[in-house]
Amino acid sequence: MSRQISISVCMGTGGLAAGAQEVMDKLSTELAGVGIEAQLHSKKQCDLHRVGCRGFCARDVLVDVSIDGVKTTYEQVTLDRVHRIVNEHIIDGQPVEDFAAGEDYHNFEGKQVKVVLSECGLIDPEDIEAYLKVGGYEAARKVLTSLSPGDTIDTIKRSGLRGRGGAGFPTGLKWEFGANEQADQKYIICNADEGDPGAFMDRSVVEGNPHVVIEGMIIAAYAIGASKGYVYIRAEYPLAVQRLELALKQARQKGFLGDNIFDNGVKFDIKVKLGAGAFICGEETALIASIEGKRGMPRSKPPFPAQKGLFGKPTVINNVETLANVTYIIRRGAEWFASLGTEKSKGTKVFALTGKIKNSGLIEVPMGIPLRDVIYGIGGGIEKDRRFKAVQTGGPSGGCIPESLLDTHLDYESLAKVGSIMGSGGMVVMDEDDCMVNIAKYFLEFTQAESCGKCTPCRVGTKRLLEILTRITEGKGKANDLELLENLSVDVIDSSLCGLGQTAPNPILSTLRYFRDEYVAHITEKRCPAGVCKALLTYTINEATCTGCTMCARVCPVKAITGEKKKTHYIDQSLCIKCNSCYDVCKFNAVDKR
Amino acid sequence: MTTAIMEDTITLTINGKAVTSESGKTVLQVCRENGIYVPTLCYDERLEAYGGCRLCIVEIKGQVRPLSSCTTPIREGMEVTTESDRITRLRKTVLELLLSNHPNDCMFCDKAGSCALQELVYRYGVRYDKYYGEMWNLPKKDDNPFISYDPNKCVLCSRCVNICQNVVMKGTIDMTGRGFYSKPDTAFSKPLTPDICVFCGQCVSTCPDAALTEKQAMGKGRVGSVDRVRTTCTYCGTGCNFYLNVNNGKIVKVTSDYEAPVNRGNLCVKGRFGYDFIQHPDRLTKPLIRREGVDDTSPEVLKNPMAVFREAEWDEALDLVASKFAELKAKYGNDSVGGFSSSRCTNEENYLLAKWVRAALGTNNVDNCARV
Ligand SMILES: Cc1cc2nc3c(=O)[nH]c(=O)nc-3n(C[C@H](O)[C@H](O)[C@H](O)COP(=O)(O)O)c2cc1C
Ligand code: SF4
Ligand code: SF4
Ligand code: SF4
């Protein structure tokens, strides 16, 4: 018997939360119990290993079993499923169809094009040998031993790579600015702060393939002439930090970091700096202040970090995903990269797809793909087949895109045209049950709380914007509030110091642009069309459909519902706290909320 | 501080007029050099530009967004517009937002008349009621002898923080909190005490409104009712200048003279807060001569140390001093005497003393206490 067995268990944060460690342990003991290694005569032939995030977190724990190259993916593997997988598949060679990933998984994977995530979920992120096996550090070797810094920059320029941290600035050009500065010390910083609510793209890359980011940093450092690097990563990402530290240690041992990289006299090493979790510390100048030990507050540009950055020295800051792309561009060529995507937006983009979508998770798609393909293709459509209402891209700095614009292409220019942004890759899907005023309020709550307080328009302006939105959702909106919202939004955008304030009103402007009637309904009719804004809701029981089953009266926490068995029930409005319990529990749809 | 001194000159246009200045300067500096008005709140020449208040924003051709002139270096051929409909509107919004969290209190405020915020609000004609919502209602902090801090009046310009951190190099205060709730404060909001604060009052001197004020001066007269007398500090040889603010013959506080060549508005605790000796009832105003035959340990002297002295007229006192000097010189020689002058005297007074010691006493024994 000379079977090659490979088993990989998804152990990103999502996998681990779903119990991947337990599944891994159980697989290991079951395999040992049946003496698989003994049967195969070699440990090499049965490779049980962890992999990073595979994206489809909703179906974790994902386990791949390959026998002689034939792979079966199992989803939602729990401890009680392990036994059958081992016995039926690994011992008897019969894949367990009952647990195999279904149509959703294949739809989810189908339209994706994986570059940055290509090795996440494939290799063991804690083992540098696994990375070396797929060609790891060859790109850095090639650059350091056969390309000049100028050629390296040129390659990145030709690839058309733009920064994935939000603004989409051409990476090659940024490097050129850094390279052109004369200084005794330069720095490269990897921005792994990732503060957007709901975003986990960068975390997954660092957890799933830390070496690809380190390699990108080595290449960038060489191109600009930096001998020191920092990874600024939030402390709330313990697993990513741990894997990154481990990867750095391994890279140092192999001589990929140190005083004489590839025996080429190149000196470069990387420090990890933990962020304390302030969103603003993702902004490059605030990030620099934070590394310097100061309060994380942005400063005006110019001078740009490439001219005057960390400790006053020329500094290039790139996002995790940008740096990961760099490695693949060198590995596979600028032309290959430039062949993906659109004219001005090259390559792929990783998104964290969440909200009211069937298949949520981490996805990577070619730039320029229509939104519809993401939401209805990869995402499988709206949860519970409700009606799609809008999709929010770009996190708190982005905008909401309505159904009529679902054919918008996912690239920097097209998104800007419809009033949103690419941002770092948040994508939140909303359905008919979402109130757009409330959504705008949600984002403003975030930006208002995360404003650093340095400049007036953002510090006070976002607060006042939030207050206006709040009073609208409470039915206290005034006739001129929409005008006030619009004017103040524009002024905050125009006069704020940094990107936070300059984009914070975007969710308001885009919802006003596409869902103005919802705002108007709140203000003039004191009505929330989506039935979300509590203060505007009234719960009543419909005489015609109520069967008098008493369910609602039993769940009401404040005993606001009265009625005899088999007779129409009644809600005392003065007692009702609008908790929605009766609405949820009624089997006859007899509770109306308006 | 930039060490590289670049002498290149740069020509740019401001409001359509060509102006020339040295490279390395900011748009704001060049505007001010040319007498072009640009409003500021967070700017203080003594500090590195902060760019926070957003009042000094100007339009620069080719830039989508207005830029803060205090932080933007001039470039050759730059076209700057310092006031336009858009800029005016943005400035008004900034002021309206500031007012939306500022007590409408000018009538009672010690700073009225010398308040930068009040001046800007007047100039741009904005009113209190455009934006409204939550306002701070924080307790005033004045648990120290000198400085009163009313956070409710703070406009978050950070000047106090920047001066304490980067000019005084003390770091007693920093911005705390986030967003709308950010404010300058000490660590853990502890009171100002001598172990953390030198009470130089630099923070008070830079505060553009009445958030930080001189505690002792509260209610003792504001700008219209005081005379400002420019003078030189008598404490040490540095010779810092400042203004004594005098109301009805009574000194109520010291304010900075930002033009002073020696100290540019900066002062230490003695200069800023140590003025009470001037009109103190214990101050000596007449010469005192030791009474003959009084025992220093007598109960009378122990009870009142001044009892060893009696008041005299200047002529009598000077005669006595002169005769004693002459006596000593005759008995022990010229070098047995000398002059020791005070750094609290002016330069001219010190010169006179040295001259007198050499010419009249005939010795070179001259010294001064200004050793620091
Ligand atoms: C409020 C704010 C938050 C930001 N947060 C992040 C972040 O979490 N990660 C990131 O890579 N860039 C973030 N950025 C963008 C960075 O300032 C910077 O442009 C980026 O790291 C540059 O890398 P790139 O050129 O590779 O995109 C943020 C910007 C702003 C204004
Ligand atoms: S825009 Fe907001 S986050 Fe940025 S500097 Fe101003 S206050 Fe701070
Ligand atoms: S008095 Fe001086 S040391 Fe004290 S807080 Fe103010 S500036 Fe700082
Ligand atoms: S206390 Fe005064 S100087 Fe300090 S930030 Fe507030 S307004 Fe500015």
Side-chain angles (χ1 to χ4, degrees), chain A residues 412-440:
Chain A
Y412 293 101
E413 283 70 29
S414 310
L415 285 174
K417 216 177 286 166
V418 298
S420 188
I421 61 165
M422 175 82 78
S424 56
M427 193 181 281
V428 187
V429 178
M430 286 159 265
D431 71 7
E432 54 193 319
D433 289 340
D434 285 307
C435 164
M436 299 316 280
V437 187
N438 195 50
I439 293 286

mmCIF file of all heavy atoms in Angstrom, chain A residues 412-440:
data_model
loop_
_atom_site.group_PDB
_atom_site.id
_atom_site.type_symbol
_atom_site.label_atom_id
_atom_site.label_comp_id
_atom_site.label_asym_id
_atom_site.label_seq_id
_atom_site.Cartn_x
_atom_site.Cartn_y
_atom_site.Cartn_z
ATOM 1 N N TYR A 412 -11.451 50.794 -8.551
ATOM 2 C CA TYR A 412 -11.336 52.082 -7.848
ATOM 3 C C TYR A 412 -12.225 53.162 -8.472
ATOM 4 O O TYR A 412 -12.967 53.851 -7.782
ATOM 5 C CB TYR A 412 -9.878 52.565 -7.842
ATOM 6 C CG TYR A 412 -8.959 51.699 -7.019
ATOM 7 C CD1 TYR A 412 -8.124 50.764 -7.628
ATOM 8 C CD2 TYR A 412 -8.919 51.802 -5.639
ATOM 9 C CE1 TYR A 412 -7.278 49.960 -6.878
ATOM 10 C CE2 TYR A 412 -8.074 51.007 -4.875
ATOM 11 C CZ TYR A 412 -7.251 50.088 -5.500
ATOM 12 O OH TYR A 412 -6.425 49.305 -4.755
ATOM 13 N N GLU A 413 -12.141 53.287 -9.795
ATOM 14 C CA GLU A 413 -12.839 54.381 -10.460
ATOM 15 C C GLU A 413 -14.357 54.194 -10.440
ATOM 16 O O GLU A 413 -15.095 55.128 -10.144
ATOM 17 C CB GLU A 413 -12.365 54.532 -11.910
ATOM 18 C CG GLU A 413 -11.007 55.218 -12.056
ATOM 19 C CD GLU A 413 -9.836 54.380 -11.564
ATOM 20 O OE1 GLU A 413 -9.926 53.129 -11.615
ATOM 21 O OE2 GLU A 413 -8.825 54.961 -11.116
ATOM 22 N N SER A 414 -14.802 52.965 -10.763
ATOM 23 C CA SER A 414 -16.249 52.753 -10.838
ATOM 24 C C SER A 414 -16.903 52.962 -9.477
ATOM 25 O O SER A 414 -18.001 53.512 -9.380
ATOM 26 C CB SER A 414 -16.568 51.342 -11.327
ATOM 27 O OG SER A 414 -15.849 51.057 -12.490
ATOM 28 N N LEU A 415 -16.230 52.512 -8.425
ATOM 29 C CA LEU A 415 -16.816 52.667 -7.091
ATOM 30 C C LEU A 415 -16.883 54.141 -6.709
ATOM 31 O O LEU A 415 -17.861 54.602 -6.125
ATOM 32 C CB LEU A 415 -16.007 51.881 -6.058
ATOM 33 C CG LEU A 415 -16.211 50.361 -6.105
ATOM 34 C CD1 LEU A 415 -15.264 49.656 -5.144
ATOM 35 C CD2 LEU A 415 -17.646 49.988 -5.778
ATOM 36 N N ALA A 416 -15.841 54.870 -7.060
ATOM 37 C CA ALA A 416 -15.839 56.306 -6.736
ATOM 38 C C ALA A 416 -16.982 57.004 -7.462
ATOM 39 O O ALA A 416 -17.635 57.896 -6.922
ATOM 40 C CB ALA A 416 -14.494 56.914 -7.110
ATOM 41 N N LYS A 417 -17.225 56.579 -8.692
ATOM 42 C CA LYS A 417 -18.262 57.218 -9.498
ATOM 43 C C LYS A 417 -19.651 57.093 -8.856
ATOM 44 O O LYS A 417 -20.475 57.984 -8.960
ATOM 45 C CB LYS A 417 -18.266 56.573 -10.902
ATOM 46 C CG LYS A 417 -18.571 57.590 -11.997
ATOM 47 C CD LYS A 417 -18.505 56.952 -13.387
ATOM 48 C CE LYS A 417 -17.085 56.659 -13.851
ATOM 49 N NZ LYS A 417 -17.047 55.756 -15.028
ATOM 50 N N VAL A 418 -19.900 55.969 -8.191
ATOM 51 C CA VAL A 418 -21.221 55.807 -7.585
ATOM 52 C C VAL A 418 -21.238 56.269 -6.121
ATOM 53 O O VAL A 418 -22.182 55.998 -5.387
ATOM 54 C CB VAL A 418 -21.729 54.348 -7.690
ATOM 55 C CG1 VAL A 418 -21.884 53.953 -9.143
ATOM 56 C CG2 VAL A 418 -20.813 53.370 -6.962
ATOM 57 N N GLY A 419 -20.186 56.960 -5.710
ATOM 58 C CA GLY A 419 -20.203 57.567 -4.382
ATOM 59 C C GLY A 419 -19.684 56.666 -3.275
ATOM 60 O O GLY A 419 -19.893 56.932 -2.106
ATOM 61 N N SER A 420 -19.005 55.600 -3.657
ATOM 62 C CA SER A 420 -18.404 54.760 -2.624
ATOM 63 C C SER A 420 -16.902 54.687 -2.869
ATOM 64 O O SER A 420 -16.375 55.432 -3.700
ATOM 65 C CB SER A 420 -19.017 53.371 -2.630
ATOM 66 O OG SER A 420 -18.556 52.645 -1.507
ATOM 67 N N ILE A 421 -16.233 53.815 -2.151
ATOM 68 C CA ILE A 421 -14.805 53.625 -2.393
ATOM 69 C C ILE A 421 -14.480 52.142 -2.268
ATOM 70 O O ILE A 421 -15.272 51.371 -1.742
ATOM 71 C CB ILE A 421 -13.923 54.414 -1.389
ATOM 72 C CG1 ILE A 421 -14.177 53.954 0.055
ATOM 73 C CG2 ILE A 421 -14.127 55.901 -1.508
ATOM 74 C CD1 ILE A 421 -13.101 54.419 1.021
ATOM 75 N N MET A 422 -13.315 51.800 -2.768
ATOM 76 C CA MET A 422 -12.844 50.420 -2.627
ATOM 77 C C MET A 422 -12.489 50.186 -1.167
ATOM 78 O O MET A 422 -12.805 49.157 -0.594
ATOM 79 C CB MET A 422 -11.601 50.234 -3.500
ATOM 80 C CG MET A 422 -10.955 48.892 -3.360
ATOM 81 S SD MET A 422 -11.777 47.660 -4.351
ATOM 82 C CE MET A 422 -11.138 48.033 -5.955
ATOM 83 N N GLY A 423 -11.802 51.171 -0.580
ATOM 84 C CA GLY A 423 -11.374 51.027 0.810
ATOM 85 C C GLY A 423 -10.469 49.832 0.957
ATOM 86 O O GLY A 423 -9.806 49.413 0.007
ATOM 87 N N SER A 424 -10.459 49.276 2.133
ATOM 88 C CA SER A 424 -9.543 48.167 2.342
ATOM 89 C C SER A 424 -10.228 46.832 2.089
ATOM 90 O O SER A 424 -9.588 45.801 2.123
ATOM 91 C CB SER A 424 -8.963 48.228 3.749
ATOM 92 O OG SER A 424 -10.015 48.232 4.675
ATOM 93 N N GLY A 425 -11.527 46.823 1.841
ATOM 94 C CA GLY A 425 -12.158 45.568 1.437
ATOM 95 C C GLY A 425 -13.336 45.098 2.271
ATOM 96 O O GLY A 425 -13.686 43.933 2.227
ATOM 97 N N GLY A 426 -13.950 45.999 2.988
ATOM 98 C CA GLY A 426 -15.167 45.614 3.694
ATOM 99 C C GLY A 426 -16.317 45.579 2.700
ATOM 100 O O GLY A 426 -16.386 46.393 1.788
ATOM 101 N N MET A 427 -17.209 44.600 2.832
ATOM 102 C CA MET A 427 -18.375 44.560 1.953
ATOM 103 C C MET A 427 -19.555 44.018 2.751
ATOM 104 O O MET A 427 -19.589 42.849 3.120
ATOM 105 C CB MET A 427 -18.090 43.667 0.741
ATOM 106 C CG MET A 427 -19.133 43.827 -0.343
ATOM 107 S SD MET A 427 -18.828 42.770 -1.752
ATOM 108 C CE MET A 427 -17.563 43.638 -2.621
ATOM 109 N N VAL A 428 -20.476 44.927 3.062
ATOM 110 C CA VAL A 428 -21.599 44.550 3.914
ATOM 111 C C VAL A 428 -22.884 44.606 3.088
ATOM 112 O O VAL A 428 -23.207 45.639 2.505
ATOM 113 C CB VAL A 428 -21.728 45.508 5.115
ATOM 114 C CG1 VAL A 428 -22.784 45.003 6.084
ATOM 115 C CG2 VAL A 428 -20.391 45.677 5.813
ATOM 116 N N VAL A 429 -23.579 43.491 3.058
ATOM 117 C CA VAL A 429 -24.791 43.411 2.241
ATOM 118 C C VAL A 429 -26.015 43.679 3.120
ATOM 119 O O VAL A 429 -26.104 43.185 4.240
ATOM 120 C CB VAL A 429 -24.893 42.021 1.590
ATOM 121 C CG1 VAL A 429 -26.174 41.901 0.788
ATOM 122 C CG2 VAL A 429 -23.679 41.778 0.708
ATOM 123 N N MET A 430 -26.929 44.493 2.582
ATOM 124 C CA MET A 430 -28.124 44.829 3.355
ATOM 125 C C MET A 430 -29.376 44.431 2.595
ATOM 126 O O MET A 430 -29.409 44.493 1.378
ATOM 127 C CB MET A 430 -28.142 46.329 3.622
ATOM 128 C CG MET A 430 -27.122 46.705 4.673
ATOM 129 S SD MET A 430 -26.695 48.415 4.574
ATOM 130 C CE MET A 430 -25.259 48.358 3.582
ATOM 131 N N ASP A 431 -30.391 44.027 3.343
ATOM 132 C CA ASP A 431 -31.624 43.633 2.680
ATOM 133 C C ASP A 431 -32.757 44.565 3.075
ATOM 134 O O ASP A 431 -32.548 45.558 3.767
ATOM 135 C CB ASP A 431 -31.945 42.162 2.976
ATOM 136 C CG ASP A 431 -32.379 41.943 4.414
ATOM 137 O OD1 ASP A 431 -32.566 42.941 5.145
ATOM 138 O OD2 ASP A 431 -32.524 40.775 4.807
ATOM 139 N N GLU A 432 -33.966 44.215 2.645
ATOM 140 C CA GLU A 432 -35.117 45.095 2.840
ATOM 141 C C GLU A 432 -35.392 45.404 4.313
ATOM 142 O O GLU A 432 -36.074 46.363 4.623
ATOM 143 C CB GLU A 432 -36.352 44.463 2.190
ATOM 144 C CG GLU A 432 -36.600 43.040 2.697
ATOM 145 C CD GLU A 432 -37.627 42.285 1.850
ATOM 146 O OE1 GLU A 432 -38.616 42.899 1.474
ATOM 147 O OE2 GLU A 432 -37.396 41.102 1.566
ATOM 148 N N ASP A 433 -34.865 44.583 5.223
ATOM 149 C CA ASP A 433 -35.103 44.833 6.640
ATOM 150 C C ASP A 433 -34.110 45.817 7.248
ATOM 151 O O ASP A 433 -34.103 46.026 8.456
ATOM 152 C CB ASP A 433 -35.034 43.517 7.437
ATOM 153 C CG ASP A 433 -36.231 42.641 7.136
ATOM 154 O OD1 ASP A 433 -37.237 43.193 6.652
ATOM 155 O OD2 ASP A 433 -36.154 41.422 7.372
ATOM 156 N N ASP A 434 -33.236 46.348 6.424
ATOM 157 C CA ASP A 434 -32.269 47.305 6.953
ATOM 158 C C ASP A 434 -32.733 48.731 6.678
ATOM 159 O O ASP A 434 -33.129 49.060 5.562
ATOM 160 C CB ASP A 434 -30.891 47.091 6.304
ATOM 161 C CG ASP A 434 -30.198 45.862 6.847
ATOM 162 O OD1 ASP A 434 -30.088 45.763 8.082
ATOM 163 O OD2 ASP A 434 -29.789 45.001 6.045
ATOM 164 N N CYS A 435 -32.666 49.559 7.701
ATOM 165 C CA CYS A 435 -33.032 50.968 7.550
ATOM 166 C C CYS A 435 -31.778 51.758 7.196
ATOM 167 O O CYS A 435 -30.786 51.698 7.910
ATOM 168 C CB CYS A 435 -33.627 51.481 8.855
ATOM 169 S SG CYS A 435 -33.698 53.271 8.937
ATOM 170 N N MET A 436 -31.809 52.473 6.101
ATOM 171 C CA MET A 436 -30.598 53.133 5.624
ATOM 172 C C MET A 436 -30.179 54.306 6.516
ATOM 173 O O MET A 436 -29.008 54.628 6.604
ATOM 174 C CB MET A 436 -30.761 53.580 4.173
ATOM 175 C CG MET A 436 -31.020 52.426 3.211
ATOM 176 S SD MET A 436 -29.967 50.980 3.467
ATOM 177 C CE MET A 436 -28.494 51.497 2.646
ATOM 178 N N VAL A 437 -31.139 54.939 7.161
ATOM 179 C CA VAL A 437 -30.771 56.014 8.091
ATOM 180 C C VAL A 437 -30.017 55.409 9.271
ATOM 181 O O VAL A 437 -28.994 55.919 9.730
ATOM 182 C CB VAL A 437 -32.015 56.772 8.606
ATOM 183 C CG1 VAL A 437 -31.603 57.977 9.425
ATOM 184 C CG2 VAL A 437 -32.911 57.195 7.449
ATOM 185 N N ASN A 438 -30.526 54.275 9.699
ATOM 186 C CA ASN A 438 -29.898 53.580 10.805
ATOM 187 C C ASN A 438 -28.495 53.092 10.440
ATOM 188 O O ASN A 438 -27.580 53.114 11.262
ATOM 189 C CB ASN A 438 -30.783 52.404 11.217
ATOM 190 C CG ASN A 438 -30.402 51.871 12.566
ATOM 191 O OD1 ASN A 438 -30.271 52.640 13.509
ATOM 192 N ND2 ASN A 438 -30.194 50.578 12.660
ATOM 193 N N ILE A 439 -28.334 52.655 9.183
ATOM 194 C CA ILE A 439 -27.018 52.208 8.716
ATOM 195 C C ILE A 439 -26.038 53.379 8.751
ATOM 196 O O ILE A 439 -24.914 53.264 9.258
ATOM 197 C CB ILE A 439 -27.122 51.654 7.269
ATOM 198 C CG1 ILE A 439 -27.948 50.371 7.237
ATOM 199 C CG2 ILE A 439 -25.739 51.461 6.659
ATOM 200 C CD1 ILE A 439 -27.259 49.146 7.790
ATOM 201 N N ALA A 440 -26.478 54.518 8.222
ATOM 202 C CA ALA A 440 -25.605 55.700 8.237
ATOM 203 C C ALA A 440 -25.249 56.052 9.676
ATOM 204 O O ALA A 440 -24.104 56.363 10.003
ATOM 205 C CB ALA A 440 -26.306 56.874 7.555
#
